[in-house]
Each structure stands twice: as C-alpha cells, then as structure tokens.
Amino acid sequence: MAWLCDLHTHSTFSDGTSTPRELFTQARQGGLDLIGLTDHDTTAGWEQAREAARETGVGLMVGAEVSCAWRGVTVHMLSYLHDPLAPGLPALFETIHASRRARVADMVERIGRDYPLTLADVEAQAGEGVAIGRPHIADALIAAGCFSHRNEVFATILHPASPYYVRYCAPDPREVIETITECGGVAVMAHPRPLSRQRRVVPAHVIASWRDVGLFGIEVDHPDHTREWREALGVLTARYGLHRTGSSDFHGRGKTTTLGENLTDWEVVEAIAERGRMDLVLPAT
Ligand code: AMP
Ligand code: ZN
Ligand code: FE
Ligand code: FE
C-alpha cells in the first residue's frame, strides 16, 4: 500500500493556524491519504477532526504531543490512539497546562518591560483551554506590530538564550511513556536530534533505555533534522528495534514547513494501529 501519511500536525486547538477542518481540506488538496492530529497537551480537536476525516475521505490517526523534560532538556512525546477517557493523560495535561500558564505569565512580565504586551493579549491569541506557550506570545507581538513572523520572534526574544526566556516544569519522559501506554496509546519520541552538535540533547543511550517502558518509535524524518541526523537516527532505530516515523509538524502559517513534507510508511501506521486502543479512521480509497 502506498498511502501517504503525515503523522504530526497542529491545529487551532494548540498553536497551528488551521482548524482541524481546514487541515483536512488542505491534506486532501495536497493528495495526502492520512494525517495524525497531534496538538500539544490536548485531545480537544479530535471530534472536529473525525468529522472532517469522514467529510473529506482523508484518514485520521488521533494523537497528542505531550510536553516533557529530561534533566531540563525539552522533550516532546507523541501519543497515538490513546483512550481519551482513561484518567492518566488528562491529569498530566492539566498539570502541564498550569505550569505553562505560570511560565507564560513570567515571560510576559519580563517582555512587558520592553514591549507593549500583556498576559490578556497572549491569552486572546491562545483561546480557551489551549496549552499556552511561546507561539501565542509571538502572535500577540505580531498583532501589536512589533514583529512580522513567528520565526523572527523565536530567533530573538523567545530564544532559550534570551533574557526573556523562562523554562517550565514538565514531567519526565519515562513517566509520560508509561502513562501513554497505560492509557492504551503508542509513544513515539518527536524530533529528538540526539546526535546533533547541540549542547542540550538527550543522549542516544537514554532514548534507547526508554524502550523498556514502552517507547515504540522515533520521529526520524522531521523538518528540523538534517540528512546526517536522519541517517544517524535511522541507525539508532534499527539497532534498538524502534520504529521510524516521519512528519511535517505542520503549524499552518506559523512555520515554514508544508503539509506532507515528510511521511511515515504505511506498515508503521498499521503497527501503531494494531497496538493503539482507539481505531484509525481509514482513508476512503
Ligand atoms: P513552547 O512549547 O511554549 O516552549 O514553544 C515551542 C513550540 O513552538 C514548539 O512546539 C514549536 O512547534 C512551536 N512553534 C510554532 N511556530 C514556531 C516557529 N515559527 N518557530 C519555532 N517554534 C515554533
Ligand atoms: Zn507546536
Ligand atoms: Fe514538538
Ligand atoms: Fe509539534
């Protein structure tokens, strides 16, 4: 089967600029067969995505991208096909939302000394129930006329090296993988870049050790990864029996990536579907 599957996208239920319905229309126009909806720390977009999948005939893998931290290094864990009614993940999401809110308030206080920015401006960009973060700060500053694109804000005042930057507390990846698995989900580490020359990355042997608690795969093919990193990560997945996924990590106009720019093999999609508690919405052939 040569179905084209992009397993990591964001909608207006987190920090993407397209509604789930718009995402599916764009996916159909782009000739994709299936997309994974993986908003940050929420499953609130699933219902609209299911309707849109049925309307457009594009398949759906429901998911979420869970914020974690390993010894202060930010890690994103993709959870696929977990049961949204199982209590573990919703409780984690609540904790993460609260710590994200406190962190954004801190950052806004710092930024507000030099730029016309209030917490209410940022909250208005995020909307009700959204895992608030730097993208929403960027959008508020763009709305105020201080910057013209998120990339520009991320490269300057939102950069981790900026004096305005504040870290937030997030659960350990091990705990998150265990919770995802308990909720019937399948855990895939998003964009790890463990072999890059960057100072703050999770070492390969640590990622490999997460397999013991249920890590299923690694998102090797991601817009942030160079060809060299993909090769190295490919070796890592093969050596440790992890599965390889690929995605665009689409954020609409918020990032320069295009829907479907990296894909996941159908065999891997099927393997996730076999393990996950929720069903795939299959593409209408
Ligand atoms: P935060 O989680 O609040 O620290 O913000 C980081 C998030 O911003 C990541 O999940 C990125 O996917 C997202 N993001 C959205 N647009 C951009 C952009 N233009 N540049 C960098 N990150 C972005
Ligand atoms: Zn994001
Ligand atoms: Fe991410
Ligand atoms: Fe993402």
Side-chain angles (χ1 to χ4, degrees), residues 22 38 52 55 70 77 103 109 119 123 125 145 151 177 189 196 224-225 254 260 265:
E22 289 163 349
T38 52
E55 284 162 16
W70 179 83
M77 197 61 66
R103 177 267 200 137
E109 204 199 302
L119 189 54
E123 281 168 346
Q125 294 295 330
N151 285 350
I177 294 166
M189 187 188 185
S196 77
D224 287 355
H225 293 168
D265 286 347

Side-chain angles (χ1 to χ4, degrees), residues 20-64:
R21 190 161 273 110
E22 289 163 349
L23 265 182
F24 276 83
T25 305
Q26 290 160 33
R28 190 176 56 182
Q29 284 165 355
L32 285 175
D33 297 300
L34 181 142
I35 57 176
L37 181 73
T38 52
D39 280 311
H40 297 282
D41 309 306
T42 186
T43 60
W46 286 12
E47 205 180 304
Q48 193 188 120
R50 283 205 184 93
E51 283 167 19
R54 281 187 214 106
E55 284 162 16
T56 57
V58 174
L60 166 68
M61 166 98 79
V62 288

Side-chain angles (χ1 to χ4, degrees), residues 78-91:
L78 295 161
S79 173
Y80 291 116
L81 302 177
H82 69 264
D83 177 357
L85 299 177
L89 276 172

Side-chain angles (χ1 to χ4, degrees), residues 55 66 69 77 98 105 120 125 128 139 157 182 187 206 224 254 256 265 271:
E55 284 162 16
V66 189
M77 197 61 66
Q125 294 295 330
E128 197 65 24
D139 292 347
I157 68 169
E182 279 162 21
V206 173
D224 287 355
T256 46
D265 286 347

Side-chain angles (χ1 to χ4, degrees), residues 12-158:
T12 45
F13 284 88
S14 62
D15 57 352
T17 61
S18 311
T19 62
R21 190 161 273 110
E22 289 163 349
L23 265 182
F24 276 83
T25 305
Q26 290 160 33
R28 190 176 56 182
Q29 284 165 355
L32 285 175
D33 297 300
L34 181 142
I35 57 176
L37 181 73
T38 52
D39 280 311
H40 297 282
D41 309 306
T42 186
T43 60
W46 286 12
E47 205 180 304
Q48 193 188 120
R50 283 205 184 93
E51 283 167 19
R54 281 187 214 106
E55 284 162 16
T56 57
V58 174
L60 166 68
M61 166 98 79
V62 288
E65 186 174 16
V66 189
S67 307
C68 339
W70 179 83
R71 299 190 183 173
V73 181
T74 296
V75 171
H76 286 170
M77 197 61 66
L78 295 161
S79 173
Y80 291 116
L81 302 177
H82 69 264
D83 177 357
L85 299 177
L89 276 172
L92 261 190
F93 291 161
E94 244 179 69
T95 311
I96 295 167
H97 281 227
S99 96
R100 280 178 161 282
R101 272 197 300 275
R103 177 267 200 137
V104 163
D106 272 1
M107 284 188 70
V108 168
E109 204 199 302
R110 295 179 185 203
I111 297 168
R113 293 175 200 149
D114 299 324
Y115 293 86
L117 184 74
T118 66
L119 189 54
D121 298 336
V122 180
E123 281 168 346
Q125 294 295 330
E128 197 65 24
V130 163
I132 201 164
R134 287 181 289 160
H136 310 106
I137 300 179
D139 292 347
L141 287 163
I142 292 164
C146 304
F147 293 89
S148 59
H149 192 272
R150 277 187 192 172
N151 285 350
E152 208 184 300
V153 204
F154 269 91
T156 55
I157 68 169
L158 295 180

Side-chain angles (χ1 to χ4, degrees), residues 8 10 40 65 76 190-191 222 249:
H8 179 170
H10 294 269
H40 297 282
E65 186 174 16
H76 286 170
H191 47 68
H222 183 276
D249 199 354

